[in-house]
Amino acid sequence: MSRRNALLLLSISLCLAAALLLRAGGADKGKAEPSSVEKVASTEALGRAPALTPAPEVAIAGWVIDGEGEPVAEVSISRLGRSGLPVETLALSGKDGAFRFVKEPVEGETLMLDGDAVFTSSFRYQSAQKGARLMATRRVSMAAKVVLNSKPVVGVDVFLSDGSGPQRHIAQSDELGMVQFDDLVPGSYELWARNTNLASPLVRASSSGGENIELSLQPAALARGRVLGDEGQGLQAAISLMPIELDHAVRHLESDAQGFFEVPGLMPGRWRVVAHADSFVPKSETIVRASADVPELDFELRLQRGGIAAGRVVD
């Protein structure tokens, strides 16, 4: 074959190849785009999960905080049923205290705040208050150690009160001398310990202080007494012992049906004693002195029958 004929055959081959490529490209252009179902099927065939478009973020509805303004996490906000019990959780606060409703509450309905770290409370929902701070009261604990001559004492009664009245918490010290009071409202408290002939001074401490509270026992008196009426009969009465110079807790107790009562662990010092019984009033003021040198103290409280006062309030 001559050189000229070889070049002619090569040119013809190149033209045929170009024509075939153009036809193949036109056929691909005519094919339809695979559907989303086909795309998912292909990705699943490759062992990959389909990519999902994320839902738009729900706006923050508010924050749960404590009395110090700190965020409180894991607090649920629930809808209440007719019985007053929660029937549906609508939100849960995060680490920053923020919460988002998964379902919008009804205007004016009562919602409940609850969680392991807070006391249960409720509030009325108002849509105009979105972004509000909801205050929850934390549950706090306080611990103390009872000692005698710097050594732990077991089985001693420990009293805790906020000092506003006779209500108090009572616990007994364990083998390490420790007591713990749980489920307290944050605030300041008074603590003291006693058994029959021992008592500790009053200690004031804050639930947020974090200090080690030590209740050191000292010798004290066991006081016994009886409440008597004007005819010598025993009376059941409410009795209060109030320290005069001593900085200590007021002691509250009741006498039995025959008027007898007992006050263990009475700190040395002077105490004003007042008894209240129906239709009776004290004959005179009663002051007793407790002493560590006298382990037992006996006294009587005399009451007399009182009259009835009647009147009218006018403006």
Side-chain angles (χ1 to χ4, degrees):
M1 179 182 296
S2 67
R3 181 179 178 84
R4 183 174 180 179
N5 290 337
L7 289 173
L8 182 60
L9 287 173
L10 179 60
S11 299
I12 292 170
S13 298
L14 289 174
C15 289
L16 289 172
L20 290 172
L21 286 174
L22 287 174
R23 181 177 296 178
D28 287 341
K29 256 185 192 180
K31 283 187 179 179
E33 183 72 11
S35 68
S36 58
V37 174
E38 291 171 335
K39 285 183 178 179
V40 169
S42 63
T43 54
E44 287 178 344
L46 294 173
R48 298 193 303 267
L52 301 176
T53 304
E57 186 177 348
V58 179
I60 292 176
W63 288 264
V64 180
I65 60 172
D66 61 14
E68 303 295 324
E70 295 296 323
V72 186
E74 300 295 322
V75 175
S76 63
I77 302 175
S78 304
R79 173 172 287 142
L80 302 179
R82 293 182 179 178
S83 63
L85 298 175
V87 295
E88 184 180 12
T89 299
L90 302 180
L92 184 69
S93 63
K95 291 182 179 180
D96 59 353
F99 63 89
R100 297 169 171 85
F101 287 123
V102 296
K103 183 186 292 185
E104 190 73 14
V106 177
E107 186 75 19
E109 76 171 314
T110 299
L111 302 178
M112 185 181 79
L113 291 176
D114 193 21
D116 292 339
V118 300
F119 288 96
T120 301
S121 61
S122 60
F123 69 99
R124 191 172 294 278
Y125 175 73
Q126 301 291 336
S127 58
Q129 296 177 346
K130 281 187 176 179
R133 268 65 174 171
L134 303 179
M135 193 174 79
T137 302
R138 287 188 187 272
R139 299 176 185 267
V140 298
S141 300
M142 293 183 72
K145 185 176 184 179
V146 182
V147 298
L148 177 62
N149 299 325
S150 301
K151 294 181 179 180
V153 186
V154 65
V156 177
D157 289 331
V158 179
F159 301 85
L160 178 144
S161 169
D162 63 5
S164 63
Q167 294 81 14
R168 60 192 181 183
H169 303 268
I170 305 175
Q172 272 202 343
S173 59
D174 61 18
E175 63 275 5
L176 300 177
M178 297 298 299
V179 294
Q180 179 164 315
F181 296 94
D182 297 319
D183 291 335
L184 300 176
V185 174
S188 297
Y189 290 91
E190 299 176 347
L191 299 95
W192 62 285
R194 63 102 174 130
N195 60 14
T196 304
N197 288 107
L198 295 170
S200 75
L202 190 72
V203 175
R204 293 182 175 87
S206 170
S207 61
S208 60
E211 67 266 34
N212 295 321
I213 302 171
E214 187 172 273
L215 304 174
S216 182
L217 296 175
Q218 303 174 9
L222 169 62
R224 293 189 179 97
R226 191 180 186 195
V227 182
L228 298 172
D230 47 10
E231 297 177 0
Q233 74 276 30
L235 297 174
Q236 187 169 13
I239 304 166
S240 298
L241 290 87
M242 294 161 283
I244 298 177
E245 296 101 356
L246 183 67
D247 181 19
H248 211 274
V250 177
R251 304 289 294 271
H252 299 279
L253 62 144
E254 287 188 0
S255 61
D256 62 19
Q258 287 74 44
F260 292 102
F261 63 89
E262 188 173 278
V263 189
L266 192 63
M267 285 290 289
R270 293 199 306 156
W271 296 79
R272 179 177 289 107
V273 188
V274 178
H276 299 276
D278 290 341
S279 304
F280 287 85
V281 295
K283 270 191 173 182
S284 61
E285 184 179 56
T286 302
I287 295 177
V288 299
R289 180 182 292 275
S291 172
D293 300 326
V294 182
E296 294 189 8
L297 173 67
D298 293 286
F299 60 94
E300 291 182 347
L301 298 174
R302 292 278 180 172
L303 303 183
Q304 62 186 3
R305 195 171 294 276
I308 298 176
R312 182 183 179 189
V313 179
V314 296
D315 56 10

